[in-house]
Amino acid sequence: MAKVAFLGLGVMGYPMAGHLVKHGHEVSVYNRTFSKAQAWSEEFGGKAFKTPKEAARGQDFVCICVGNDDDLRSVVLGEDGALAGMQPGSLMVDHTTASADVARELATIASSAKVNFIDAPVSGGQAGAENGVLTVMIGGSEKAFSAAQTILPAYAKCAERLGEVGAGQLTKMVNQICIAGVVQGLSEGLHFARSAGLDGEKVVEVISKGAAQSWQMENRYQTMWQGEYNLGFAVDWMRKDLGIALEEARRNGSHLPLTALVDQFYSEVQGIGGNRYDTSSLLARLEKYRRN
């Protein structure tokens, strides 16, 4: 059993922290809205605290899952930040999807306090978090990665080290780049099928047995066909992630024309009120044009 703090109880963090309790760990939690931390505590039995520092004090591991670089800095740094409460030799596990730069920045600051750090963004969406089957992409030392194996199996089906600090975030960028292209292709295929008067479900039943098959097709085509876009990871967050990837691409000299285009398509989804639609809502944009 480990002593774990979990900071950030959104759609991902809430169930992830719950799985830690179910696996026998002693868990303290912090959330910007304290009432949510209290609700989590009532459901799972862990302790809720009003500051990251209080939640992190004396814990072996501090897991973080917040929104972006600035949110991450706000819970780690400062007088009431997590780092102020962490003990030497403990491990900070950052599950936020953020920039590689902020991962390296915080790792350096943590090291000065003799605290270990890994960047460990996750993939698998809300369903993956709820079912405890996330994929975790990790950047950090071999020693820190080994230590994290104490807690990661509580909510991860796969956790791999990709390199030093920052490599986890860079790998998550690859993940989001690939998803963006696949979802756009699936959206265009379904849009074409509807315009051609085909039965979309029968079409997918056939083509999913061949080379066109993908996770997105298997898990999203039915709701997309029905115009339902309430399955978790929101367009606003995808645009944040793609923005991070595009900024990194400008820095490292890679060329991402499709990613940039799909990012603009998501901006059009936002323009029709789809900020909180899930990422499969690229089809909503195409269907809007078809109706017009």
Side-chain angles (χ1 to χ4, degrees), residues 31 33-40:
N31 194 68
T33 304
F34 183 60
S35 60
K36 189 141 187 203
Q38 289 178 305
W40 183 93

Side-chain angles (χ1 to χ4, degrees), residues 61-138:
F61 300 89
V62 174
C63 299
I64 307 170
C65 192
V66 292
N68 55 38
D69 287 21
D70 288 340
D71 293 334
L72 184 54
R73 291 187 182 97
S74 73
V75 299
V76 172
L77 305 177
E79 184 177 331
D80 289 322
L83 195 56
M86 294 180 71
Q87 58 191 356
S90 57
L91 176 61
M92 183 176 293
V93 181
D94 177 30
H95 290 306
T96 306
T97 297
S99 69
D101 281 350
V102 77
R104 298 183 190 110
E105 171 193 329
L106 294 180
T108 299
I109 296 171
S111 179
S112 68
K114 298 183 179 180
V115 169
N116 300 304
F117 178 97
I118 59 174
D119 55 300
V122 301
S123 180
Q126 184 176 346
E130 291 173 350
N131 294 318
V133 292
L134 293 168
T135 294
V136 189
M137 296 152 265
I138 296 170

Side-chain angles (χ1 to χ4, degrees), residues 39-52:
W40 183 93
S41 180
E42 290 172 4
E43 181 174 352
F44 293 104
K47 298 179 181 179
F49 292 90
K50 291 186 175 181
T51 69

